[in-house]
Amino acid sequence: EFDDKICANQLKKNYKFGVLYQREGQFISTLGEKVSTDSGMDFVSSSFLDYNFKFHVSTLLPHSASDPQQCDRKARIGNDVVCIVFQSGPATFSPEIITSQFLHVYIVLQPVGSDCYKVSVVSKSGVPEFGPNFPREGIFQNSEDFKNKLFAKLINAEQASSKTGKLAQLNLRLRQSMLNQLDEKLKQDMNRSVQSKKLDDGWRPWFCHV
């Protein structure tokens, strides 16, 4: 059980990403299929190879009429590590629009024409480089190859982010906790094995009566 947990921590298969966009309905069909929930926390689901994706799309999250800042939406996306930002035009994106300890990488998509995109990447200081690379000022047609390259970029972005700053500290503590649990379980199993062997060998406790 514990070995599986440690392996799962190192070989992550399920990912959650944030999605911010400026115009209703943009790009969602490229990412995957919308999933409706009873709680209203709708999301977009997709998969790539043997990886599963869950996208927290800003406008699919519950809207609060009493909160003009939509803090709940920002908090949901702010707990993700990587966020896709889909812009409706050539405006400059500033990562300061969301205050988050967890968001480390923003992948910004800008539409070019009816079915193409420009891609740029904004990372926090300390995040190591990760591929696959999108050439600067390159224009990419919205195709299956483009989506696969984007999904690979998302996975590698989160993996790279986990090696720096607060995320690296959290992952280190998680691994240490799992290893401590594994060590404790092995000790318990060993003690049970020793006791069982003694009984199998005919050993019985005895008492000296005075």
Side-chain angles (χ1 to χ4, degrees), residues 3-72:
D3 284 328
D4 290 342
K5 288 182 179 179
I6 293 175
C7 289
N9 184 49
Q10 299 299 321
L11 303 173
K12 187 174 180 179
K13 296 298 182 183
N14 299 309
Y15 289 83
K16 298 178 181 179
F17 303 111
V19 179
L20 296 173
Y21 60 95
Q22 298 177 337
R23 193 169 59 207
E24 188 72 24
Q26 292 175 322
F27 201 65
I28 295 301
S29 60
T30 297
L31 292 179
E33 296 183 358
K34 177 182 174 181
V35 178
S36 299
T37 65
D38 294 336
S39 65
M41 294 290 186
D42 297 349
F43 60 93
V44 172
S45 176
S46 189
S47 62
F48 169 63
L49 300 178
D50 55 347
Y51 299 95
N52 299 310
F53 296 157
K54 183 177 182 179
F55 295 97
H56 296 134
V57 183
S58 57
T59 54
L60 293 184
L61 298 174
H63 178 273
S64 174
S66 61
D67 180 12
Q69 298 296 320
Q70 301 304 316
C71 292
D72 286 343

Side-chain angles (χ1 to χ4, degrees), residues 7-188:
C7 289
N9 184 49
Q10 299 299 321
L11 303 173
K12 187 174 180 179
K13 296 298 182 183
N14 299 309
Y15 289 83
K16 298 178 181 179
F17 303 111
V19 179
L20 296 173
Y21 60 95
Q22 298 177 337
R23 193 169 59 207
E24 188 72 24
Q26 292 175 322
F27 201 65
I28 295 301
S29 60
T30 297
L31 292 179
E33 296 183 358
K34 177 182 174 181
V35 178
S36 299
T37 65
D38 294 336
S39 65
M41 294 290 186
D42 297 349
F43 60 93
V44 172
S45 176
S46 189
S47 62
F48 169 63
L49 300 178
D50 55 347
Y51 299 95
N52 299 310
F53 296 157
K54 183 177 182 179
F55 295 97
H56 296 134
V57 183
S58 57
T59 54
L60 293 184
L61 298 174
H63 178 273
S64 174
S66 61
D67 180 12
Q69 298 296 320
Q70 301 304 316
C71 292
D72 286 343
R73 285 183 173 182
K74 290 181 179 180
R76 174 71 63 168
I77 293 176
N79 285 331
D80 294 321
V81 176
V82 182
C83 183
I84 295 175
V85 180
F86 190 92
Q87 295 187 309
S88 60
T92 301
F93 169 72
S94 172
E96 296 177 358
I97 62 173
I98 295 182
T99 302
S100 170
Q101 299 182 69
F102 297 101
L103 276 172
H104 278 58
V105 178
Y106 300 86
I107 297 179
V108 184
L109 305 178
Q110 293 179 334
V112 178
S114 60
D115 202 34
C116 294
Y117 299 98
K118 287 177 62 175
V119 182
S120 56
V121 179
V122 180
S123 302
K124 276 189 175 182
S125 176
V127 176
E129 293 185 6
F130 54 91
N133 295 323
F134 288 90
R136 186 182 296 273
E137 301 302 321
I139 296 176
F140 305 90
Q141 186 173 6
N142 185 13
S143 63
E144 191 69 18
D145 287 342
F146 170 72
K147 183 176 77 170
N148 291 341
K149 188 174 182 179
L150 175 64
F151 283 179
K153 188 77 169 178
L154 291 170
I155 294 172
N156 291 337
E158 181 156 331
Q159 291 292 338
S161 299
S162 68
K163 301 174 183 177
T164 185
K166 184 178 180 66
L167 295 180
Q169 297 173 9
L170 291 173
N171 284 328
L172 178 59
R173 287 201 294 268
L174 176 61
R175 288 196 295 270
Q176 289 175 337
S177 175
M178 289 179 172
L179 287 172
N180 289 338
Q181 292 179 59
L182 177 60
D183 180 61
E184 184 63 28
K185 183 176 184 295
L186 289 174
K187 289 178 180 177
Q188 293 174 0

